[in-house]
Amino acid sequence: YDDLFLVNAGRNELYKNSNGALKKISTGEIALDNEPSIAASWGDYNNDGFPDCYVCNEGVQNSLYKNNGDGTFKKITSGNIVEDQGAFRACAWADVNRDGHLDLYLTNRDGANLLYVNDGTAHFKKDYSDIIGLSSDLSYGCGWCDFDNDGDMDIYICNDGANRLYEQVSPMKFSAVSPSRMPTSDEFSIGCSWGDYNNDGYMDLFVTNAESANKLYTNQGNGSFAVLNNGAISADIALSKGSGWADYDNDGDLDLIVSANGAGFLYRNRGDGTFEKLNNQDLVFFGGNSLSMAWGDVNNDGNLDFIVSSSDRKSLLYQNFGNQNLGNKNKWLKVRCEGTISNKLAIGAKIRVKATIDGKKIWQTREINSQSGHRAQGSFVQHFGLGQTAVVDSLVVIWPTQKRQIYTGIAANQTFDIAEDNASAVKMNNAETPSKFGLQQNYPNPFNSSTTIAFDVPTAADVTLQLFDARGQRVKTLVRGRRDAGRHTVLWDGRDDQGDLCSSGVYVCRLALEQAEHVCKMTLLK
């Protein structure tokens, strides 16, 4: 289940999601610190399987909360990543140099933006070799994305003035994209959201503006963009801030929501490159000074919900009742990725899903990111609407390493878990819920190349599945994190956590769930 973190100019709020019910956490520095917080971004910077939280504070030290893995956090108080001060307005994690470790970018409205490079030991250094952005820019928002599909991360920076798109032309070297390729104008831009709204495999860009009409830039697929002048989406003028793409009606294309001062806009994608503005006042009139919004499936029913935060009133959570309102029983697929060579949260990975919807074969594309809209971040679990399609033809994951994993014939209405490796993947089967927690004997056993391990989870819980050699040394972590109820299978290809082939011998497979533990022995033969 997706948890919730709200940034306040004072005490921030952390809510743990328990089977769709959000419970406020009232202990620990992450919940009790009283600081002038502006923005936050979650990322697993030490690759231990537990997301950490970075918070930008106004005019004082920023905060980094390291996840201890037991529901508590440790505040990091030393190092330039928390000691530097400025008028920071946004933060976003990305593996900029593709070394498997998340780096961090900060925008500053009064000075140079900053890039902190993770050295792989949970320490960071500021990179001055090629500053991304001009120190004279008044920067507010940013968004990482591989817009040209060349395998490395690029970044769009929203300014009070001319916005800038920087492409990574060589490792850790960035160059500003010319106005002939990315149109720009002197506007007060607040935030941006990447999404492939026309399902052509290239990420498009929506930018919110405070003093003029918002902009939707269509990716032409050749390294350039064109402004989409299409009805209300390019004509509505408000003090717009938050935005986010999501297929809220599960029909196979991305819709768009925008939060603004005193109002909000919901644009339904017609599937032909145009949008319909919905006028349901209960849904899109937020009122107040609406700052940010984010999508997520709060109750895991396959229908995306969203939350809107404001500076002058309580945040509003909108629950999507999906089929109850639509009457069309549209189906869906959710994909959860776990990096083993890439960063643990798979930030920067692309997921492509092919399905036949309304008689047409459609490829949908998502990219896992750590910042969207204005100071906001949605779920790491990627959601795909499928219309009436019951089975997905193909699913392709393109990891930050550019390695690909391909799956076919995936049933709709489930969460599909994928672990990065040569062939290892975890698949959840929602058709049957086991009555008790258990670990099955691997098959085949003995084995000489790969073997499948199955385990049962009767109710959603945090699960760890690890392999140990005869000396008791851990050689491989196959699963770590929350898993829904059901039978899960994972394929082990005989490699350790470093990707090296293990030697012949007996290995112990240990499954741990809260206070319970199950083990089985497996024999690897060469």
Side-chain angles (χ1 to χ4, degrees):
Y1 287 87
D2 291 325
D3 303 309
L4 176 65
F5 185 69
L6 298 176
V7 176
N8 299 312
R11 286 186 176 176
N12 300 319
E13 299 173 45
L14 176 62
Y15 294 85
K16 179 177 175 57
N17 191 334
S18 179
N19 297 317
L22 295 171
K23 179 181 179 181
K24 188 174 182 179
I25 304 299
S26 57
T27 59
E29 291 171 303
I30 194 171
L32 298 178
D33 280 346
N34 192 354
E35 297 172 331
S37 299
I38 295 292
S41 183
W42 289 80
D44 187 359
Y45 76 89
N46 57 358
N47 283 336
D48 64 353
F50 301 101
D52 313 295
C53 182
Y54 189 85
V55 178
C56 291
N57 297 316
E58 173 75 23
V60 299
Q61 288 189 1
N62 296 325
S63 301
L64 175 59
Y65 300 97
K66 176 182 174 294
N67 193 327
N68 294 323
D70 59 0
T72 67
F73 295 80
K74 176 184 177 181
K75 187 175 184 179
I76 305 301
T77 58
S78 62
N80 53 20
I81 196 170
V82 294
E83 292 175 352
D84 291 333
Q85 299 183 25
F88 299 116
R89 282 297 178 270
C91 51
W93 297 98
D95 184 4
V96 184
N97 53 7
R98 292 198 302 177
D99 64 351
H101 303 283
L102 289 177
D103 313 299
L104 183 68
Y105 188 77
L106 305 182
T107 62
N108 192 346
R109 69 170 176 82
D110 187 19
N113 299 335
L114 299 177
L115 174 63
Y116 296 97
V117 179
N118 191 333
D119 68 3
T121 66
H123 295 87
F124 297 82
K125 66 180 183 67
K126 281 185 288 190
D127 187 271
Y128 291 107
S129 60
D130 189 40
I131 299 296
I132 309 174
L134 303 180
S135 59
S136 58
D137 284 343
L138 307 177
S139 298
Y140 280 78
C142 65
W144 290 101
C145 179
D146 179 15
F147 79 86
D148 49 5
N149 288 351
D150 65 351
D152 50 35
M153 300 305 296
D154 313 299
I155 189 169
Y156 189 82
I157 302 174
C158 302
N159 297 317
D160 183 357
N163 299 331
R164 306 186 195 280
L165 174 62
Y166 289 87
E167 61 180 328
Q168 194 170 172
V169 294
S170 61
M172 295 297 289
K173 298 294 181 182
F174 290 82
S175 176
V177 175
S178 66
S180 63
R181 294 170 54 200
M182 168 53 82
T184 188
S185 58
D186 286 338
E187 296 172 319
F188 185 2
S189 297
I190 299 293
C192 60
S193 296
W194 292 96
D196 180 16
Y197 79 87
N198 54 4
N199 289 333
D200 66 352
Y202 290 90
M203 305 301 285
D204 310 297
L205 180 68
F206 183 78
V207 178
T208 55
N209 294 314
E211 299 171 351
S212 57
N214 302 319
K215 292 286 195 303
L216 175 54
Y217 298 93
T218 302
N219 193 328
Q220 302 296 293
N222 59 3
S224 65
F225 293 78
V227 177
L228 178 69
N229 294 309
N230 182 275
I233 202 169
S234 57
D236 285 332
I237 298 178
L239 206 170
S240 300
K241 296 178 180 178
S243 62
W245 295 99
D247 186 3
Y248 83 92
D249 51 3
N250 285 334
D251 65 350
D253 44 46
L254 289 175
D255 311 297
L256 178 67
I257 199 164
V258 179
S259 60
N261 272 22
F265 309 109
L266 177 60
Y267 305 99
R268 189 183 70 83
N269 193 331
R270 294 190 177 104
D272 59 0
T274 66
F275 293 83
E276 171 192 8
K277 182 181 177 181
L278 301 186
N279 294 310
N280 184 334
Q281 292 299 308
D282 291 335
L283 180 63
V284 299
F285 185 80
F286 307 139
N289 183 14
S290 297
L291 298 174
S292 299
M293 65 78 51
W295 291 95
D297 187 1
V298 176
N299 56 358
N300 272 358
D301 66 350
N303 301 300
L304 286 172
D305 315 298
F306 70 91
I307 189 167
V308 177
S309 65
S310 302
S311 64
D312 56 354
R313 61 187 61 199
K314 291 183 178 180
S315 299
L316 299 175
L317 176 62
Y318 291 81
Q319 185 175 351
N320 185 346
F321 290 99
N323 298 336
Q324 299 178 39
N325 291 342
L326 298 174
N328 57 9
K329 298 183 179 179
N330 281 345
K331 296 176 172 57
W332 50 271
L333 177 71
K334 295 197 294 184
V335 180
R336 179 167 47 207
C337 294
E338 180 181 349
T340 57
I341 302 169
S342 305
N343 68 88
K344 201 72 170 177
L345 289 172
I347 291 174
K350 278 188 168 70
I351 300 98
R352 305 200 68 206
V353 165
K354 180 184 178 184
T356 302
I357 302 176
D358 294 333
K360 298 179 181 179
K361 294 186 181 298
I362 296 174
W363 278 100
Q364 300 180 59
T365 304
R366 306 287 187 267
E367 183 172 307
I368 302 175
N369 60 51
S370 66
Q371 192 79 182
S372 181
H374 176 233
R375 310 174 189 172
Q377 181 177 12
S379 175
F380 288 115
V381 179
Q382 301 303 297
H383 174 277
F384 297 84
L386 300 175
Q388 298 294 299
T389 300
V391 178
V392 167
D393 297 336
S394 304
L395 185 154
V396 180
V397 179
I398 307 172
W399 299 95
T401 62
Q402 294 308 287
K403 292 183 178 180
R404 297 182 179 221
Q405 288 175 229
I406 302 173
Y407 304 86
T408 59
I410 303 168
N413 291 355
Q414 67 162 312
T415 299
F416 195 73
D417 288 348
I418 301 175
E420 179 188 21
D421 213 314
N422 288 342
S424 61
V426 182
K427 181 178 179 182
M428 186 182 105
N429 182 359
N430 283 334
E432 202 172 322
T433 301
S435 60
K436 62 181 180 178
F437 170 70
L439 174 65
Q440 308 300 315
Q441 183 66 52
N442 64 301
Y443 180 84
N445 188 46
F447 66 99
N448 61 12
S449 60
S450 64
T451 188
T452 298
I453 306 163
F455 61 95
D456 297 329
V457 181
T459 59
D462 292 321
V463 174
T464 302
L465 182 67
Q466 296 176 314
L467 304 179
F468 298 83
D469 62 19
R471 298 171 300 170
Q473 300 295 313
R474 187 185 71 219
V475 297
K476 181 73 174 181
T477 298
L478 293 170
V479 177
R480 175 180 281 167
R482 192 165 187 83
R483 293 297 183 263
D484 294 330
R487 169 159 288 187
H488 303 252
T489 59
V490 59
L491 184 71
W492 183 43
D493 63 353
R495 295 180 182 270
D496 62 17
D497 280 329
Q498 285 69 48
D500 298 324
L501 287 171
C502 295
S503 59
S504 297
V506 176
Y507 292 83
V508 175
C509 179
R510 182 171 71 92
L511 177 68
L513 168 66
E514 297 176 350
Q515 303 302 318
E517 181 177 303
H518 288 254
V519 298
C520 71
K521 291 183 178 181
M522 339 193 297
T523 302
L524 171 61
L525 300 177
K526 295 292 188 181

